[in-house]
Amino acid sequence: MSKILVIEDEEDIRTIVVEILRAENFDVIEAENGEIGVELAKNELPGLIICDIKMPKLDGYGVMIQLRENPSTQTIPLIFLTAKSMKSDLRMGMELGADDYLTKPFTRDELLGAVTTRLAKQMAVEQESQKKVDELRNNITHSLPHELRTPLNGILNLAQFLIEDYDTIERNEALEMLQEICVSGERLYRLTHNFLLYAELARIEQQPKQVRKLLNSGEQSFTRTIIQDLAIQISQKVNRKEDLQLELQEAVVKISQSKFTKIVEEIIDNALKFSELGNSIQIQSYFQDNYFNILVIDHGRGMTPTQIAKLGAYMQFDRQLYEQQGSGLGLIIAKLLTELHGGELNINSFPGKQTIVHVMLPGKLSI
């Protein structure tokens, strides 16, 4: 059965609620005040929280605010217990994100009805989320052979040609083929790395304790040099350094250098891949309200709202028309890395005109 956390400062009421739930075979943990309740919620990650509003030290609203600010607890459903029935109290709780109310005194049936309803809704949400993950993995499984086969075929065919015509091939022609083999090898390496990285991130996403470990790792990165160096390096590979427009503010983000580098690499690469030579790529960064912001703006073909909503690791929209190489995995990896570190990645696009990828990560100004 689901684990339920009961936060109630009145011992007699807490005992009654706990006994009713345990009689129905629920796994119940309890806390006598809001501060203890928040810590238990973070450590135990219950499937449902029942919380009194009026408590010493930290009231129910304070509990709600702290839970919603923490990525590992922000989606746990919460039922408020209250002796109040004023509309202002109900409205305040709902605005903070409460899922339901029980007004004291309540009956056993009212308590169990509220609990079973919330748990059923939460299970439906989780099942839908798992369905999307399964669909995503299934599509990746289908796309993986093709994406790996293309560079691998290039390597094998060119290598075979070099072996067969070793005695007659011109030196310059051989060098060109070796360079193409190197490019295909690099592409194959990146594809393999991205597929393995996605699988690891998807696994971590389903394990709240691993998410909490990432959030509390204490790793930090300075941003400006990483963004600037990557932008120049990636754009030079496709002869588009002149298209870059950089406006960067230094800041420190709460993420390791390697993971921050990966996020930046993928969103810049995406902008260059889906826009034409001569069209500007604007990269801006700034710090605001405890978050570091980076915007990558390109003026390529863009995406429709439907395409953005369906963005997945396996999708490359209009591939038959544009034939860009790649698995389409980059943006979803950047999004997962960002969200696993307490941030957000949003896309705003106007088809045929402009796409803006906006990443926000917790951080601080560089001293």
Side-chain angles (χ1 to χ4, degrees):
M1 295 292 285
S2 297
K3 182 182 292 185
I4 299 176
L5 168 61
V6 178
I7 309 173
E8 168 64 71
D9 64 310
E10 294 185 45
E11 185 176 359
D12 55 343
I13 295 177
R14 187 173 72 250
T15 300
I16 291 171
V17 172
V18 169
E19 288 180 351
I20 290 174
L21 295 174
R22 284 180 176 160
E24 298 297 320
N25 294 320
F26 287 107
D27 180 9
V28 186
I29 51 178
E30 54 186 296
E32 63 265 29
N33 62 57
E35 290 181 349
I36 295 174
V38 169
E39 289 305 309
L40 276 175
K42 292 177 181 178
N43 294 327
E44 299 289 336
L45 298 174
L48 175 68
I49 297 172
I50 300 173
C51 182
D52 189 24
I53 289 182
K54 189 176 180 181
M55 295 184 293
K57 295 186 178 180
L58 184 67
D59 64 12
Y61 299 133
V63 169
M64 190 75 188
I65 290 170
Q66 291 194 26
L67 293 177
R68 293 303 181 249
E69 287 177 347
N70 189 311
S72 64
T73 59
Q74 63 187 194
T75 61
I76 299 175
L78 185 145
I79 299 174
F80 269 140
L81 299 180
T82 178
K84 303 177 181 180
S85 58
M86 293 177 61
K87 290 184 178 180
S88 60
D89 295 311
L90 296 173
R91 184 169 61 251
M92 181 176 179
M94 292 303 179
E95 287 175 354
L96 288 173
D99 296 274
D100 204 351
Y101 264 90
L102 275 175
T103 303
K104 303 173 186 177
F106 49 81
T107 66
R108 174 184 177 277
D109 289 343
E110 287 172 338
L111 172 63
L112 293 177
V115 167
T116 53
T117 297
R118 288 303 130 194
L119 288 176
K121 288 186 177 181
Q122 185 69 8
M123 182 177 293
V125 170
E126 291 173 356
Q127 288 175 341
E128 181 62 24
S129 177
Q130 186 60 46
K131 180 181 176 182
K132 291 180 180 179
V133 171
D134 292 341
E135 181 182 344
L136 191 57
R137 287 173 176 163
N138 183 56
N139 281 281
I140 287 176
T141 301
H142 283 87
S143 70
L144 180 57
H146 170 77
E147 296 300 339
L148 295 181
R149 191 184 303 119
T150 302
L152 187 57
N153 282 342
I155 293 170
L156 293 174
N157 290 336
L158 288 170
Q160 186 65 33
F161 186 85
L162 285 169
I163 292 170
E164 292 176 353
D165 294 342
Y166 176 77
D167 293 328
T168 59
I169 195 168
E170 295 289 336
R171 182 181 178 85
N172 288 340
E173 188 178 359
L175 180 60
E176 289 179 5
M177 291 183 180
L178 289 170
Q179 288 172 336
E180 289 182 30
I181 288 175
C182 183
V183 169
S184 292
E186 289 175 350
R187 180 186 169 198
L188 187 59
Y189 172 81
R190 184 176 179 186
L191 279 168
T192 305
H193 174 73
N194 275 1
F195 277 114
L196 292 174
L197 177 58
Y198 170 75
E200 176 66 10
L201 293 175
R203 183 188 66 81
I204 292 173
E205 188 184 29
Q206 300 302 314
Q207 299 180 4
K209 290 184 179 179
Q210 290 294 318
V211 175
R212 189 164 63 247
K213 184 177 178 181
L214 276 180
L215 291 170
N216 298 327
S217 68
E219 294 182 298
Q220 298 185 142
S221 302
F222 288 89
T223 60
R224 192 176 187 277
T225 300
I226 291 175
I227 298 170
Q228 181 175 285
D229 290 352
L230 273 174
I232 293 172
Q233 175 188 338
I234 298 171
S235 63
Q236 282 179 333
K237 285 185 177 180
V238 290
N239 299 315
R240 293 191 61 184
K241 184 180 176 183
E242 299 302 318
D243 292 340
L244 285 182
Q245 297 178 9
L246 305 180
E247 299 177 31
L248 307 177
Q249 180 184 13
E250 182 66 283
V252 178
V253 286
K254 298 177 181 179
I255 183 174
S256 71
Q257 182 173 322
S258 62
K259 292 184 175 69
F260 180 67
T261 296
K262 186 62 176 175
I263 292 170
V264 175
E265 176 188 14
E266 293 299 345
I267 61 177
I268 293 177
D269 181 73
N270 186 77
L272 289 164
K273 187 183 295 181
F274 295 104
S275 62
E276 299 293 332
L277 177 67
N279 290 336
S280 66
I281 302 290
Q282 299 161 267
I283 305 175
Q284 304 168 2
S285 70
Y286 60 91
F287 185 81
Q288 183 178 347
D289 298 331
N290 297 318
Y291 279 86
F292 171 74
N293 297 258
I294 175 172
L295 286 80
V296 177
I297 306 167
D298 72 73
H299 302 276
R301 59 187 173 93
M303 300 169 66
T304 66
T306 300
Q307 289 172 337
I308 293 172
K310 291 183 178 180
L311 181 67
Y314 58 95
M315 289 189 175
Q316 267 204 345
F317 300 106
D318 303 326
R319 182 164 186 166
Q320 291 181 341
L321 294 177
Y322 296 95
E323 284 301 321
Q324 278 88 2
Q325 294 183 343
S327 62
L329 198 55
L331 275 184
I332 204 69
I333 286 175
K335 183 176 177 66
L336 274 171
L337 280 171
T338 300
E339 292 174 349
L340 286 172
H341 288 82
E344 295 181 16
L345 186 151
N346 298 303
I347 302 173
N348 291 307
S349 188
F350 305 91
K353 295 181 180 180
Q354 175 180 272
T355 297
I356 303 172
V357 178
H358 182 185
V359 172
M360 299 172 59
L361 283 165
K364 61 184 179 181
L365 277 175
S366 176
I367 299 175

